[in-house]
Amino acid sequence: MALTHSHGTDAAHGHDHPSGFWSKYIFSFDHKVIGVQYLILACIMGLIGAGLSVWFRTQLAWPGKAGMSPENYVMAVTMHGTIMIFFVVSLSLSSGLGNFCIPLQIGARDMAYPLLNMLSFWTIVPGAAIMVASFFVEGGGAAGGWTSYPPLSALPKAAPGSGTGQTLWLLAMAIFVVSFTLGGLNYVATILNLRARGMTLMRMPITIWTYFISAVLGLLSFPALTAAAIMLLLDRHGGTSFFLPSKLILSGQLQTNTGGTPLLFQHLFWFLGHPEVYILVLPAVGIAFDVLAANARRPVMGYKASVFALWAIAFLGMIVWGHHMFISGMNPYLGKYFSISTLIITAPFALLGVCLLGTLWRARIRFNTPMLFALGLISAVGTGGIGGLFLATATADLHFHDTYFVVGHFHLMIGVTSLMGTFAGIYYWFPKMFGRTMNETLGKLHFVGTMVGTFVVFTVQHFQGMGGMTRRYYEYVNEYVKPAAALNPLVTIFAFIAFGSQLIFLVNFFWSMFAGAKASKNPWEATTLEWTAESPAGHGNWNEPPVVRGDPYRYGEGADGKGWKLQTDA
Amino acid sequence: MSRRDRGSVWRFLLPVGFLAFTAATVAAVLFKDWMPPVASEHGKGVDGMITYILCAAGLIFVAGHLLLAKFIFTSGADDAPAYKPIGNKAEMLFTIGPTIFILLISEIGVLFIGNPIWGQVFKEDPEDFQIEVIAKQFEWIAHYPGRDGKFGPFRMEKYDEVDNIAALWKKDKESRDDLVVRGKLILPAGKACQIRIKSFDVLHSFNIPAFRTKQDAVPGIYTKTRFVATTPGDYEIACAEICGVNHYKMKAKVQVLPLEKYMKWLEEEPGFFE
Amino acid sequence: MSGEAAAGHGHAAHGEWECEPTPFKASWPKVMMWWFLIGDAVLFGSLLVAYGFNRVAAPAWLPQDKVFSMNFITVMTFTLITSSATMATAVAASRAGDRKNACLFTMLTAVGGIAFLGMQVYEWWHMIGHHGARLTVGPKLEGFPDVPAFSAYFFMITGFHGSHVLSGVFILLYTGFNALRGRNGPEGVELAGLYWHFVDLVWVFVFGTYYLI
């Protein structure tokens, strides 16, 4: 049934195996090297982003003891959000692990357009540098929240960070969007065109499905942010009034803008913003499926149902952005619509959840580090998802909007779930990256710290949100919020634990790269295609093109008591 | 990687951890009232909605974690016989059952409990008292229509930090009797009030946690929210949308008076330009 | 499974890597181009939706036929649509292996694009010089209020579209030369054609929503 045709990437693949240091490690075309480069960049940015959170958590727990001014505080929360979402989770999960595992799992030599792949990495580097540089300009980095709603972000007089800092923020985001779009084009073309013989769409590992869907979502939703950024830049530097209404008064002075509307920005922003959540969460869930199947020694439950659920989530995710705007002044009837449509997403999400859970049914679990993270992810995605029920209901959102309930909820989803998936993926594919395994003891310590730290922090934040504790407050001076704010020192202590365990991970990651135990070709006895390549896989991944002869999760199959079969086995 | 994981501590540690987490969360919900005491009519409805979701979602949360713990605890050893398929029917039941259940409880909640209350918050009723709230960096200003029942129009050109904080103009006859109160919102108990919210500069959000009221103040348009305060007493307005450096300090008092006292205050208080 | 047929490849040379057939049998450059265009369409869509959003909210708007000469805009539109036709001819010629005509018609398309750009420049000059419009000041019309958003959206949307046309012209010139020398095969002309048709299609939407409604 499989037609054969060469994939015609002569131009792209027509270069010899690189030998020099620069072409091998820095300007490499090899998707595996580029993936690792993304991971390392994400580690650096992660230290900055998480460091910011340690700083402002200290301020929240012990006001005035962190050496932080209110100006610093709003800047720190803004930059923490931006860096974490776009330069840590996106870079490590989507770009890093995606680049690494897509060609390996579908049986391609490389991405469809390796040059473009290399360029998209080297586009993001200056983006990250600009984002970091914005801390050091006059007025500091952007301070309008990661959502950077105008007029706050449009008028330099409105906030100290809304001067040069905000301009650099927009510039860095524009660069990010360009890089991410180029990456997404590569993902889509690679997955559609370069699958090995026999790798039909319904034989792809769920990881590949999630990367495909998140790339499609990115291509469809990021342009809205680009449009918003263009208009915001024009408002800031061209004197236009796309988002600025007439007759604003700032510092006692009448502004000259006329006729814009701030709500427009919010619509454009959240048209990106909500799919962005799924762009970050779905690949983590996909990786968890792979890791769970390999270490539960059984096929995933409901492969087809999961793929269907993923598409349903992606489609519905494009039409529910307004649930971030229930109380924004949007027409209340739209509030009802967005509430009802958002709650429909619970169905495919529940389907995905039970498929994750069901994959443990009658399992023979191997408790290695990647598996622990995958198990933690099940709890995180379930707990976080349940918080979503409250926020999707417009009526309940009247109380929860912009409180710590929201903070706890989205950190559990795009923070904990995404990073648990990322860590599971890194521990799982590390042997394929470097031919060595990561240290298991340190890995398990990392897991316990992450699990205990993050779960306490973000669950308690839900309760603080119930107490009406508002987001982005430098200090809690209101009376009603005192009982909820009293929990801040507790949250901060556990945040320190969570942060400290990430340091363990960094040590483990860089140490194991050079000194980890040597790994075999298939250390986890997994069935998907990447485990037929050498560890570490060489440039071009395979000498012979692999031919796929079965489903991705062939556990419980196979003769001679082995109980599993590679995807290439007859 | 150890190949003999039957005796792995994780088989016990993980289920115990997940169950402890579940138990602690459930206990925190059951044994402590986290919400600020409610003081408005629709606020009780909002609380009812939240309680409904807490019950429904709590059920899913507990059931999910119990299953997770059970599957981990009872999983076979690595040298156990290979996995035997569960059977399509059982799998279908296990997947589709919870999916439909969750969809139903969440949609029923929003359609039958949530939306009617949402409707109350945005109802337009000419009988309601009209009060205007002005948000600016970083304070709240209450603006009452005065005896003529009409708000004076804003004349932003006339704004003055000291003398004319509400940007009204004394030559407008609707403005003359308007009341302007800085940093304090005085409300009647037991009477529906529609609050018209105006922002002079950036986005703010008018949040009275005790009323379960939250509505963004958007420059350029009026946003509206409506409530009936039930209990006389003092409450607080907070700002719930980041509005700059002193966002955290942007608060104001809410004073709910019995209706007669409120009417008397309205009568006696001199107008802004009187 | 019938996948074993391709055993005889030895050390697979570059470009001989066997693949599963792609949906619609599109090559990867074409897949990339399509998805790029879909994303770009969302970008233009966002700008046009923003324009619609602001326009509905605006208290006043200017009558387009008093600001622009509608006949002139129609000629612009006609020029661009004609260039789409020449582009289609170029693609057909390059498919048939006719390098000369492929080049000729690609160049003709580029000429159409340049003509369009020239008219676009005239439009801007007319707006700025004759009507006194700026990015922040609406065109001055007897008996109508100043509507800065009218100018802002005009310059942003047509400017953004114009930059697409400009880059399209460069792509066409490059593709045309390469087609003559037989460097890029049918694929190159086809990709340039996809982009060009897209740019034309966007103009039709700009014309419909900004100038007509």
Side-chain angles (χ1 to χ4, degrees), chain C:
Chain C
M1 294 297 119
S2 61
E4 279 101 297
H9 267 286
H11 186 98
H14 295 299
E16 290 176 23
W17 199 258
E18 307 287 340
C19 293
E20 256 314 274
T22 310
F24 308 113
K25 304 226 167 65
S27 66
W28 69 262
K30 229 187 249 177
V31 169
M32 272 195 178
M33 182 52 94
W34 269 109
W35 279 100
F36 169 74
L37 294 181
I38 290 171
D40 219 18
V42 178
L43 180 48
F44 273 107
S46 302
L47 293 178
L48 288 176
V49 165
Y51 150 75
F53 195 104
N54 250 10
R55 174 149 173 207
V56 169
W61 203 255
L62 300 177
Q64 293 97 328
D65 53 349
K66 291 219 169 71
V67 182
F68 310 107
S69 153
M70 289 319 276
N71 289 338
F72 187 73
I73 306 294
T74 313
V75 172
M76 277 172 85
T77 310
F78 183 74
T79 311
L80 208 55
I81 289 173
T82 313
S83 78
S84 246
T86 55
M87 190 71 236
T89 318
V91 171
S94 103
R95 271 202 192 129
D98 184 353
R99 282 194 211 166
K100 248 189 195 165
N101 273 332
C103 174
L104 175 69
F105 280 97
T106 311
M107 293 303 180
L108 274 179
T109 312
V111 170
I114 292 168
F116 176 85
L117 278 176
M119 289 187 268
Q120 184 81 272
V121 168
Y122 173 78
E123 271 300 300
W124 277 45
W125 177 80
H126 184 72
M127 268 289 265
I128 297 168
H130 182 73
H131 289 300
R134 298 288 181 274
L135 195 54
T136 53
V137 183
K140 286 181 186 60
L141 266 192
E142 208 51 39
F144 287 96
D146 179 29
V147 187
F150 189 92
S151 292
Y153 279 103
F154 172 79
F155 288 120
M156 181 176 69
I157 292 175
T158 61
F160 202 62
H161 178 262
S163 70
H164 275 70
V165 177
L166 186 64
S167 63
V169 166
F170 283 118
I171 291 170
L172 286 174
L173 293 175
Y174 177 77
T175 315
F177 279 121
N178 275 352
L180 189 63
R181 291 188 230 159
R183 269 198 200 154
N184 51 2
E187 189 98 291
V189 179
E190 239 177 289
L191 289 179
L194 276 177
Y195 183 73
W196 193 256
H197 292 315
F198 167 77
V199 170
D200 292 1
L201 188 67
V202 168
W203 178 256
V204 172
F205 277 93
V206 173
F207 180 66
T209 52
Y210 187 82
Y211 289 96
L212 287 187
I213 296 178

Side-chain angles (χ1 to χ4, degrees), chain A residues 207-257:
Chain A
T207 309
I208 299 300
W209 273 113
T210 54
Y211 277 118
F212 182 60
I213 289 169
S214 75
V216 167
L217 275 178
L219 291 173
L220 291 180
S221 61
F222 268 106
L225 180 71
T226 313
I230 291 171
M231 290 158 79
L232 189 53
L233 269 175
L234 281 173
D235 273 4
R236 291 173 52 77
H237 300 290
T240 54
S241 309
F242 294 117
F243 305 129
L244 297 171
S246 312
K247 297 186 178 171
L248 297 181
I249 288 189
L250 266 178
S251 330
Q253 279 169 331
L254 198 63
Q255 306 291 307
T256 52
N257 304 88

Side-chain angles (χ1 to χ4, degrees), chain B residues 20-273:
Chain B
F21 165 61
T22 313
T25 311
V26 171
V29 173
L30 289 181
F31 299 120
K32 185 165 163 39
D33 188 8
W34 294 88
M35 314 274 283
V38 62
S40 74
E41 261 176 25
H42 81 272
K44 287 172 195 151
V46 172
D47 284 11
M49 183 73 231
I50 293 172
T51 312
Y52 171 84
I53 309 175
L54 269 177
C55 297
L59 202 65
I60 304 163
F61 176 73
V62 172
H65 276 89
L66 283 178
L67 266 182
L68 181 59
K70 187 216 168 237
F71 283 152
I72 295 173
F73 187 65
T74 60
S75 85
D78 200 22
D79 49 3
Y83 162 79
K84 296 243 170 9
I86 289 147
N88 268 340
K89 261 195 187 158
E91 283 197 20
M92 293 265 272
L93 206 68
F94 182 75
T95 45
I96 298 192
T99 307
I100 291 179
F101 175 71
I102 291 175
L103 182 65
L104 279 182
I105 56 167
S106 49
E107 289 291 350
I108 287 172
V110 71
L111 287 175
F112 296 103
I113 308 176
N115 279 354
I117 294 165
W118 185 252
Q120 280 180 32
V121 174
F122 291 100
K123 200 163 88 177
E124 298 273 344
D125 188 344
E127 295 289 297
D128 296 347
F129 283 174
Q130 304 283 324
I131 302 169
E132 193 164 75
V133 166
I134 300 165
K136 63 180 281 291
Q137 282 182 339
F138 300 93
E139 63 177 314
W140 298 98
I141 298 155
H143 178 201
Y144 297 81
R147 285 178 298 277
D148 64 354
K150 282 182 189 145
F151 292 111
F154 289 113
R155 306 277 182 183
M156 301 313 288
E157 304 79 12
K158 310 282 174 201
Y159 174 87
D160 188 282
E161 199 74 33
V162 184
D163 295 328
N164 194 2
I165 192 81
L168 299 172
W169 192 29
K170 57 175 162 251
K171 299 219 170 121
D172 285 321
K173 69 175 192 305
E174 298 94 344
S175 296
R176 234 169 279 161
D177 60 345
D178 285 10
L179 304 183
V180 173
V181 189
R182 225 171 149 165
K184 191 168 165 191
L185 178 62
I186 297 171
L187 296 171
K191 180 84 179 110
C193 298
Q194 189 181 45
I195 310 286
R196 204 165 85 150
I197 306 162
K198 159 105 184 161
S199 169
F200 277 3
D201 39 37
V202 299
L203 293 171
H204 302 273
S205 191
F206 174 75
N207 178 17
I208 307 178
F211 292 2
R212 315 290 187 254
T213 284
K214 198 175 281 159
Q215 179 63 53
D216 280 6
V218 183
I221 58 172
Y222 288 109
T223 53
K224 286 171 185 172
T225 189
R226 180 178 173 276
F227 53 72
V228 183
T230 48
T231 333
D234 285 347
Y235 306 95
E236 279 172 295
I237 307 179
C239 180
E241 182 65 68
I242 186 168
C243 59
V245 171
N246 289 330
H247 173 46
Y248 72 106
K249 278 195 220 160
M250 184 164 166
K251 56 173 188 166
K253 255 174 81 175
V254 179
Q255 196 173 19
V256 179
L257 301 172
L259 191 56
E260 316 82 69
K261 263 194 177 170
Y262 173 79
M263 298 310 283
K264 201 166 152 239
W265 172 78
L266 269 189
E267 285 293 313
E268 289 172 0
E269 190 76 3
F272 189 51
F273 292 112

